[in-house]
Amino acid sequence: LQTDFHIAIILTYLLLAALFQSFVYPLVILLTVPLATFGGVLGLRTVQIFDSMQQLDVLTMLGFVILVGTVINNSILIVYHALQRMRDGDTPREAVMESVRVRVRPIFMSTATSALGMLPLVIMPGAGSELYRGLGSVVVGGLALSAVITLFLTPLVFSYAVEAVVKVRGLFGMKEVAVKPEPELEPST
Protein backbone atom coordinates (compact mmCIF):
# COMPACT_ATOMS: atom_id res chain seq x y z
CA LEU A 1 0.00 0.00 0.00
CA GLN A 2 3.02 2.27 0.41
CA THR A 3 3.55 1.99 -3.34
CA ASP A 4 -0.07 3.03 -3.88
CA PHE A 5 0.54 6.12 -1.76
CA HIS A 6 3.55 7.09 -3.86
CA ILE A 7 1.70 6.43 -7.11
CA ALA A 8 -1.18 8.61 -5.87
CA ILE A 9 1.24 11.47 -5.17
CA ILE A 10 2.95 11.12 -8.56
CA LEU A 11 -0.34 10.99 -10.47
CA THR A 12 -1.67 13.96 -8.54
CA TYR A 13 1.48 15.95 -9.30
CA LEU A 14 1.32 15.14 -13.01
CA LEU A 15 -2.36 16.04 -13.20
CA LEU A 16 -1.76 19.34 -11.41
CA ALA A 17 1.25 20.11 -13.62
CA ALA A 18 -0.91 19.63 -16.69
CA LEU A 19 -3.75 21.75 -15.29
CA PHE A 20 -1.57 24.63 -14.06
CA GLN A 21 0.87 24.34 -16.99
CA SER A 22 3.72 24.61 -14.53
CA PHE A 23 6.01 22.23 -12.70
CA VAL A 24 6.49 24.60 -9.75
CA TYR A 25 2.97 25.41 -8.56
CA PRO A 26 1.94 21.75 -8.08
CA LEU A 27 4.89 21.37 -5.69
CA VAL A 28 3.45 24.21 -3.59
CA ILE A 29 0.08 22.47 -3.58
CA LEU A 30 1.54 19.06 -2.72
CA LEU A 31 3.31 20.55 0.28
CA THR A 32 0.08 19.93 2.18
CA VAL A 33 0.40 16.15 1.81
CA PRO A 34 3.16 15.73 4.44
CA LEU A 35 1.16 17.97 6.80
CA ALA A 36 -1.93 15.85 6.26
CA THR A 37 0.09 12.68 6.79
CA PHE A 38 1.37 14.07 10.08
CA GLY A 39 -2.19 15.00 11.06
CA GLY A 40 -3.37 11.51 10.11
CA VAL A 41 -0.70 9.93 12.31
CA LEU A 42 -1.74 12.22 15.19
CA GLY A 43 -5.39 11.25 14.66
CA LEU A 44 -4.52 7.57 14.68
CA ARG A 45 -2.36 7.93 17.81
CA THR A 46 -5.21 9.77 19.55
CA VAL A 47 -7.58 6.90 18.80
CA GLN A 48 -4.97 4.39 20.00
CA ILE A 49 -4.91 6.13 23.38
CA PHE A 50 -8.58 5.22 23.89
CA ASP A 51 -8.65 2.00 21.87
CA SER A 52 -5.43 0.04 22.13
CA MET A 53 -6.74 -2.54 19.65
CA GLN A 54 -6.68 -0.05 16.74
CA GLN A 55 -3.76 -0.95 14.51
CA LEU A 56 -2.32 0.36 11.26
CA ASP A 57 -4.24 -1.97 8.94
CA VAL A 58 -5.08 -1.85 5.24
CA LEU A 59 -8.18 0.34 5.69
CA THR A 60 -6.22 2.77 7.84
CA MET A 61 -3.56 2.99 5.14
CA LEU A 62 -6.34 3.63 2.65
CA GLY A 63 -7.15 6.71 4.73
CA PHE A 64 -3.70 8.10 3.91
CA VAL A 65 -4.30 7.55 0.20
CA ILE A 66 -7.67 9.32 0.51
CA LEU A 67 -5.91 12.26 2.16
CA VAL A 68 -3.72 12.82 -0.91
CA GLY A 69 -6.81 13.58 -2.96
CA THR A 70 -8.73 15.59 -0.38
CA VAL A 71 -6.24 17.86 1.36
CA ILE A 72 -4.82 19.37 -1.80
CA ASN A 73 -8.19 20.97 -2.52
CA ASN A 74 -7.54 23.76 -0.02
CA SER A 75 -4.21 24.66 -1.59
CA ILE A 76 -5.68 24.47 -5.06
CA LEU A 77 -8.29 27.04 -4.06
CA ILE A 78 -5.63 29.47 -2.83
CA VAL A 79 -3.14 28.99 -5.69
CA TYR A 80 -5.71 29.05 -8.47
CA HIS A 81 -7.43 32.19 -7.17
CA ALA A 82 -4.08 33.94 -6.69
CA LEU A 83 -3.03 33.09 -10.25
CA GLN A 84 -6.33 34.42 -11.56
CA ARG A 85 -5.82 37.66 -9.63
CA MET A 86 -2.29 38.02 -11.01
CA ARG A 87 -3.59 37.53 -14.54
CA ASP A 88 -6.08 40.32 -13.82
CA GLY A 89 -3.22 42.66 -12.94
CA ASP A 90 -2.68 42.33 -9.20
CA THR A 91 0.82 42.10 -7.80
CA PRO A 92 1.73 38.67 -6.38
CA ARG A 93 1.48 39.92 -2.79
CA GLU A 94 -1.95 41.49 -3.37
CA ALA A 95 -3.15 38.40 -5.20
CA VAL A 96 -2.09 36.03 -2.42
CA MET A 97 -3.57 38.19 0.33
CA GLU A 98 -6.87 38.55 -1.51
CA SER A 99 -6.93 34.85 -2.34
CA VAL A 100 -6.56 33.86 1.31
CA ARG A 101 -9.15 36.42 2.38
CA VAL A 102 -11.70 35.22 -0.16
CA ARG A 103 -11.04 31.48 0.16
CA VAL A 104 -10.75 31.08 3.94
CA ARG A 105 -14.48 30.55 4.40
CA PRO A 106 -14.88 27.87 1.67
CA ILE A 107 -11.81 26.09 3.03
CA PHE A 108 -13.20 25.94 6.56
CA MET A 109 -16.66 24.98 5.31
CA SER A 110 -15.45 22.08 3.19
CA THR A 111 -13.03 20.88 5.86
CA ALA A 112 -15.65 21.09 8.60
CA THR A 113 -18.25 19.16 6.61
CA SER A 114 -15.76 16.46 5.64
CA ALA A 115 -14.27 16.09 9.12
CA LEU A 116 -17.61 16.20 10.93
CA GLY A 117 -19.07 13.74 8.43
CA MET A 118 -16.25 11.28 9.22
CA LEU A 119 -16.36 11.86 12.97
CA PRO A 120 -19.09 9.23 13.62
CA LEU A 121 -16.72 6.60 12.18
CA VAL A 122 -14.27 7.50 14.92
CA ILE A 123 -16.41 8.02 18.01
CA MET A 124 -19.53 5.87 17.59
CA PRO A 125 -19.38 2.42 19.17
CA GLY A 126 -21.13 -0.49 17.58
CA ALA A 127 -20.73 -3.68 15.65
CA GLY A 128 -18.02 -3.28 13.02
CA SER A 129 -17.00 0.20 14.13
CA GLU A 130 -13.46 -0.95 14.84
CA LEU A 131 -13.12 -1.77 11.15
CA TYR A 132 -13.45 1.85 9.98
CA ARG A 133 -12.27 3.69 13.08
CA GLY A 134 -8.66 3.88 11.85
CA LEU A 135 -9.68 5.19 8.43
CA GLY A 136 -11.89 7.83 9.98
CA SER A 137 -9.27 8.95 12.48
CA VAL A 138 -6.63 9.34 9.79
CA VAL A 139 -8.92 11.37 7.52
CA VAL A 140 -10.28 13.57 10.33
CA GLY A 141 -6.83 14.24 11.81
CA GLY A 142 -5.25 14.91 8.42
CA LEU A 143 -8.01 17.23 7.24
CA ALA A 144 -8.10 19.22 10.47
CA LEU A 145 -4.36 19.83 10.71
CA SER A 146 -3.78 20.49 7.03
CA ALA A 147 -6.64 23.00 6.78
CA VAL A 148 -5.24 25.17 9.53
CA ILE A 149 -1.61 25.00 8.45
CA THR A 150 -2.46 25.36 4.74
CA LEU A 151 -3.85 28.84 5.35
CA PHE A 152 -0.43 29.94 6.60
CA LEU A 153 2.07 27.81 4.73
CA THR A 154 0.62 27.70 1.20
CA PRO A 155 0.44 31.51 0.74
CA LEU A 156 3.98 31.91 2.06
CA VAL A 157 5.51 29.20 -0.12
CA PHE A 158 3.45 30.30 -3.14
CA SER A 159 4.74 33.88 -2.79
CA TYR A 160 8.33 32.63 -2.77
CA ALA A 161 7.61 30.30 -5.71
CA VAL A 162 6.21 33.17 -7.79
CA GLU A 163 9.27 35.29 -7.01
CA ALA A 164 11.57 32.40 -7.96
CA VAL A 165 9.71 31.80 -11.23
CA VAL A 166 9.98 35.50 -12.12
CA LYS A 167 13.72 35.53 -11.35
CA VAL A 168 14.41 32.36 -13.34
CA ARG A 169 12.43 33.68 -16.29
CA GLY A 170 14.40 36.92 -16.05
CA LEU A 171 17.69 35.02 -16.12
CA PHE A 172 16.68 33.30 -19.34
CA GLY A 173 15.32 36.47 -20.89
CA MET A 174 11.70 35.30 -20.87
CA LYS A 175 9.03 37.86 -20.18
CA GLU A 176 6.55 37.08 -17.43
CA VAL A 177 3.23 38.34 -18.75
CA ALA A 178 0.98 37.20 -15.92
CA VAL A 179 2.73 38.91 -13.02
CA LYS A 180 2.86 42.64 -12.42
CA PRO A 181 6.03 43.69 -10.55
CA GLU A 182 5.83 44.74 -6.94
CA PRO A 183 5.83 48.52 -6.47
CA GLU A 184 9.04 50.01 -5.15
CA LEU A 185 8.82 51.14 -1.55
CA GLU A 186 9.91 54.71 -1.08
CA PRO A 187 11.82 55.54 2.08
CA SER A 188 9.77 57.55 4.52
CA THR A 189 11.18 60.82 5.71
Side-chain angles (χ1 to χ4, degrees), residues 5 49 92:
F5 183 73
I49 291 172

Side-chain angles (χ1 to χ4, degrees), residues 57-70:
D57 56 3
V58 173
L59 282 176
T60 304
M61 287 299 295
L62 183 64
F64 287 106
V65 175
I66 291 170
L67 279 179
V68 172
T70 55

Side-chain angles (χ1 to χ4, degrees), residues 17-84:
L19 291 173
F20 282 103
Q21 298 176 355
S22 169
F23 290 110
V24 176
Y25 302 138
L27 292 175
V28 173
I29 292 169
L30 285 176
L31 184 65
T32 59
V33 173
L35 300 173
T37 304
F38 180 68
V41 169
L42 285 179
L44 184 62
R45 295 298 290 168
T46 303
V47 167
Q48 287 176 342
I49 291 172
F50 299 105
D51 182 13
S52 62
M53 297 298 293
Q54 183 59 51
Q55 300 296 319
L56 185 64
D57 56 3
V58 173
L59 282 176
T60 304
M61 287 299 295
L62 183 64
F64 287 106
V65 175
I66 291 170
L67 279 179
V68 172
T70 55
V71 300
I72 63 169
N73 293 334
N74 299 336
S75 288
I76 289 173
L77 286 173
I78 293 172
V79 169
Y80 181 75
H81 192 265
L83 287 172
Q84 287 296 111

